[in-house]
Amino acid sequence: MQGTIFVNDAISYAINLYLSSKSNPNSEEYNSFYSNIIKALIFIYGELDIINPYKTNHVSGMGGFDDNLKKYGLNNLKLDNFKNSILKYHQEESDVGKAKYFVEIQKLLIDMLFCKANHIFMSDEEIEQFKQFLYFKEDQNNFKLTLYSKLIPNNTEVMDYLSSKIFIKKHDFNFTEYKNITLIPEAYQLAGYNIVEVMKMSDEEIHNVNNKVYHFFRIRNNDLNKKQRLETAVNFYKKYGKMFTSGNGFVDTLLLSSIIATFSMFLVMIVIKFVS
């Protein structure tokens, strides 16, 4: 198969790189983004479904690469997006250009994983294992962390997408499409919204609900770090119960100081009344 193009230049290159570096798991090549794409596909579909079509140059039809990737319900649009995104990533020369497809490819791999999870039982441990093929800021693999830091430093979109899929799976929700404009599921829940109903809304309606969720957690709409502050606020809320937080440590300190001052004044008034 060496020298022959399978599906497209990028997928051919990725499979070749995976196969040539497979015997050296500590190598940069085996830990590259291309190899991790193939390892993720093998994790989902099995090595025979990915490597055999490559060896026989069988792309479409029964037992072909395309059909194997669709066997758990992946639609044609996402299949085409996946193949095109890998090719565009491969062709892009700038880091800014690569970053878009770097995220998109990982999200499509997550879609494939949960297509399988909707057809075949997958344990929480198996889904957790899948994270070894994704890129995030807490990654312990230096090769992966270096690429993540280079292309999308501090970007949590992939992990947020995975978390939303896990949440939906655990609550037996059946959505056909993830909306990028949604917030973390717990935020809606704590603010009194049904996430099932939110996901059925139009984009404009979701934006309005998002503004109300930010208001609930006392986070300003023009705050550039409002998503990070929302995550902090949700964790605070879950830890301490139904206590309002601004999502801003300084403001929260002022709120706490105000409560303490009010309580102290109340005590002073009681003491004065008792003495008099």
Side-chain angles (χ1 to χ4, degrees):
M1 186 67 198
Q2 188 72 34
T4 304
I5 300 302
F6 175 68
V7 183
N8 61 42
D9 286 344
I11 292 178
S12 259
Y13 177 81
I15 295 179
N16 269 320
L17 191 64
Y18 163 76
L19 291 174
S20 64
S21 62
K22 187 178 177 182
S23 60
N24 190 3
N26 295 320
S27 66
E28 182 176 357
E29 291 78 11
Y30 187 75
N31 289 278
S32 69
F33 184 48
Y34 292 104
S35 289
N36 275 311
I37 292 171
I38 303 306
K39 286 186 282 185
L41 291 177
I42 289 172
F43 182 89
I44 298 168
Y45 299 102
E47 189 157 17
L48 289 177
D49 278 356
I50 304 303
I51 303 303
N52 273 9
Y54 166 77
K55 290 181 176 179
T56 59
N57 198 24
H58 188 187
V59 178
S60 58
M62 185 176 294
F65 182 80
D66 287 359
D67 275 24
N68 288 347
L69 263 59
K70 293 190 295 181
K71 72 178 183 179
Y72 296 124
L74 187 75
N75 62 44
N76 286 321
L77 177 61
K78 288 191 174 182
L79 173 64
D80 289 341
N81 285 344
F82 176 69
K83 294 190 292 186
N84 290 333
S85 293
I86 297 177
L87 183 60
K88 289 175 181 177
Y89 176 88
H90 190 60
Q91 293 171 337
E92 273 288 349
E93 295 182 358
S94 72
D95 290 344
V96 174
K98 284 183 176 293
K100 173 186 175 181
Y101 302 112
F102 182 69
V103 170
E104 185 65 20
I105 291 165
Q106 293 181 75
K107 289 168 67 175
L108 287 165
L109 287 170
I110 292 171
D111 286 339
M112 293 177 192
L113 178 75
F114 282 89
C115 280
K116 180 178 180 179
N118 288 335
H119 284 76
I120 298 174
F121 173 77
M122 294 190 72
S123 66
D124 293 342
E125 290 74 19
E126 287 177 291
I127 293 174
E128 184 68 21
Q129 286 175 22
F130 186 76
K131 287 175 66 176
Q132 67 185 293
F133 310 116
L134 304 178
Y135 289 70
F136 50 97
K137 61 183 177 181
E138 295 85 7
D139 206 316
Q140 301 300 308
N141 182 303
N142 288 331
F143 292 113
K144 290 172 63 193
L145 187 58
T146 298
L147 184 60
Y148 166 85
S149 301
K150 180 182 179 183
L151 296 183
I152 53 168
N154 298 316
N155 185 307
T156 63
E157 186 175 350
V158 171
M159 284 298 107
D160 289 345
Y161 190 60
L162 177 63
S163 296
S164 73
K165 290 287 189 179
I166 292 172
F167 183 88
I168 291 167
K169 179 180 181 293
K170 287 185 176 180
H171 292 80
D172 294 324
F173 299 150
N174 183 23
F175 300 132
T176 57
E177 183 179 0
Y178 170 81
K179 297 189 176 183
N180 288 330
I181 60 172
T182 56
L183 307 175
I184 55 176
E186 293 88 347
Y188 294 111
Q189 204 169 26
L190 291 171
Y193 291 96
N194 185 325
I195 190 171
V196 178
E197 297 303 320
V198 170
M199 292 295 287
K200 293 177 182 177
M201 295 178 181
S202 68
D203 289 358
E204 184 178 354
E205 289 172 327
I206 292 176
H207 276 300
N208 290 333
V209 170
N210 287 354
N211 289 337
K212 292 177 182 178
V213 171
Y214 283 125
H215 179 74
F216 176 83
F217 287 101
R218 307 291 176 84
I219 299 171
R220 296 187 299 273
N221 283 331
N222 61 354
D223 192 325
L224 296 178
N225 297 313
K226 60 184 182 180
K227 282 199 171 183
Q228 289 83 353
R229 296 198 189 284
L230 179 63
E231 185 176 345
T232 301
V234 167
N235 290 334
F236 181 94
Y237 198 104
K238 288 161 64 179
K239 184 175 181 180
Y240 295 106
K242 295 184 178 181
M243 299 169 62
F244 291 104
T245 176
S246 66
N248 183 302
F250 177 72
V251 175
D252 288 339
T253 300
L254 290 179
L255 288 171
L256 182 59
S257 299
S258 176
I259 293 170
I260 293 172
T262 302
F263 183 70
S264 299
M265 182 62 71
F266 179 69
L267 287 178
V268 169
M269 290 175 65
I270 291 177
V271 170
I272 292 173
K273 183 175 181 181
F274 180 79
V275 171
S276 61

